[in-house]
Amino acid sequence: MSQSSLVNRQWWANSSNYTVGRMDTIHGIVVHHAASTSLDSVGATFAQYGRGGSAHYGVKDGQVHQYVREEDTAWHCGNWDGNSCTIGIETVNSTGAPDWLVNDPTFEKLAYLCADIAARNNLGMVKFEPDGVYPTLSAHRDWSPTYCPGDYLYGKMYELQDKINAINYPAKAKLKWKELNPITIYLAGKEPTILYDFNHTHAENVKPVKEFKKGTEFEIKGECTNETIGKSYLVTTYSFDNKKTNGFNMSDLVAKEPEPDPPTPPEPDPPTPDPDPTVNILKKILEFIQHIIDLITKKQGE
């Protein structure tokens, strides 16, 4: 079984605090709050022998720590059936009692971690169901009598549900395709030049796909405007023909200057036409007659 690629640190729980293996498949995610403002304190607690509890992951700001592998059973629900079929996440608070708030960066990272877990474990679109038999998303207090995850975080469970689903099943952006005529060769104008996947409904979700060196040539057939975020991208012939939403920022490419036409070589002088053959014969006859006259004149003069 795979683990989350979002993990920054693996801080394994003591073997006395979880069960190796599972008696059931993973059906859902259970959200906790740490009742602490320190992420390291969560790992230190689960690493203690005989603590009697654990979770699979902990989150704070941009950090994700892992304590128990997903294929093993963390003791986090206070309910064995819940432990056996869920992944538990400790959410570190930004303030202490009595509010136990959770700041926006931590809540955002929690959503991305949940989305990653849901996608890898084929949970589909998650649904917060406090009374569900096998809820895909629930909180600690839905499994056992406890204050966890605090009123603040519990009040954001539907928002968390929507964020998770928006990450795994993003709404489609409104796209407008325009073919350029003629197809133009463009060059990457900077180092590096980024190819982006722009089919997103929020500009912050537009992600890089590949980097190219400055001067790389691209055959650009058209442009595509993501009208949802109000931005246009230059699209290669392949992407345009296949309606693949990968493109370049308009300002990152420069049109290639056309090659200059080679100089036209001078035309050769036309050949001198041969004279008329009849003229040549007459000329020779006249020359012969003149020769005879010259001979007769010379003879008479002797």
Side-chain angles (χ1 to χ4, degrees):
M1 179 178 291
S2 63
Q3 314 300 318
S4 176
S5 61
L6 301 176
V7 172
N8 304 105
R9 179 182 182 185
Q10 292 174 322
W11 192 337
W12 301 119
N14 188 277
S15 59
S16 65
N17 299 324
Y18 68 94
T19 300
V20 176
R22 283 186 178 273
M23 295 181 64
D24 201 349
T25 56
I26 296 170
H27 294 292
I29 302 165
V30 178
V31 175
H32 304 256
H33 79 159
S36 169
T37 58
S38 169
L39 181 58
D40 286 350
S41 70
V42 179
T45 297
F46 293 153
Q48 295 174 10
Y49 175 82
R51 173 64 175 78
S54 59
H56 292 90
Y57 297 101
V59 297
K60 181 182 181 182
D61 297 329
Q63 298 292 306
V64 177
H65 289 185
Q66 184 175 15
Y67 317 112
V68 177
R69 292 175 177 84
E70 291 186 18
E71 61 265 29
D72 295 330
T73 306
W75 301 345
H76 63 100
C77 282
N79 178 301
W80 179 248
D81 289 339
N83 290 341
S84 299
C85 68
T86 61
I87 299 290
I89 304 174
E90 292 285 350
T91 310
V92 175
N93 303 95
S94 54
T95 65
D99 297 322
W100 299 112
L101 301 180
V102 173
N103 64 26
D104 290 342
T106 300
F107 188 73
E108 190 76 10
K109 181 60 71 172
L110 172 64
Y112 272 92
L113 177 59
C114 289
D116 173 67
I117 294 168
R120 287 184 296 102
N121 290 282
N122 301 314
L123 300 185
M125 295 190 73
V126 301
K127 186 176 182 181
F128 174 51
E129 297 179 290
D131 299 321
V133 177
Y134 279 122
T136 47
L137 182 64
S138 57
H140 188 180
R141 67 172 65 175
D142 299 325
W143 293 94
S144 59
T146 175
Y147 177 70
C148 181
D151 291 341
Y152 176 79
L153 188 54
Y154 194 74
K156 293 173 72 70
M157 290 299 293
Y158 285 108
E159 180 183 348
L160 179 61
Q161 165 198 280
D162 293 341
K163 276 185 172 289
I164 296 168
N165 291 330
I167 294 167
N168 283 343
Y169 302 93
K172 292 184 178 180
K174 184 179 180 181
L175 304 176
K176 182 178 180 180
W177 299 83
K178 177 184 177 182
E179 185 171 357
L180 301 180
N181 189 17
I183 294 173
T184 304
I185 301 298
Y186 279 81
L187 302 177
K190 62 181 184 178
E191 185 82 32
T193 293
I194 310 296
L195 178 71
Y196 294 95
D197 172 13
F198 56 80
N199 189 22
H200 297 279
T201 55
H202 295 87
E204 61 268 22
N205 291 333
V206 172
K207 302 298 182 184
V209 175
K210 192 174 180 180
E211 295 183 356
F212 295 91
K213 293 182 178 179
K214 184 177 181 179
T216 305
E217 290 190 3
F218 305 101
E219 185 182 79
I220 300 299
K221 185 172 183 178
E223 62 183 61
C224 185
T225 300
N226 181 331
E227 295 184 335
T228 307
I229 64 175
K231 188 171 181 179
S232 296
Y233 297 85
L234 290 171
V235 181
T236 65
T237 298
Y238 172 81
S239 294
F240 191 91
D241 289 345
N242 293 278
K243 293 299 180 280
K244 191 174 181 66
T245 54
N246 289 340
F248 298 94
N249 286 330
M250 305 283 282
S251 60
D252 290 349
L253 300 186
V254 292
K256 183 180 179 181
E257 294 292 336
E259 297 289 341
D261 294 332
T264 304
E267 293 187 5
D269 294 333
T272 303
D274 293 334
D276 188 336
T278 303
V279 174
N280 284 337
I281 293 173
L282 291 174
K283 182 178 180 182
K284 289 184 180 297
I285 292 173
L286 291 173
E287 289 175 351
F288 177 75
I289 293 171
Q290 184 63 48
H291 178 67
I292 295 299
I293 292 171
D294 291 343
L295 287 175
I296 293 172
T297 304
K298 182 179 178 182
K299 189 70 176 174
Q300 290 177 348
E302 290 179 352

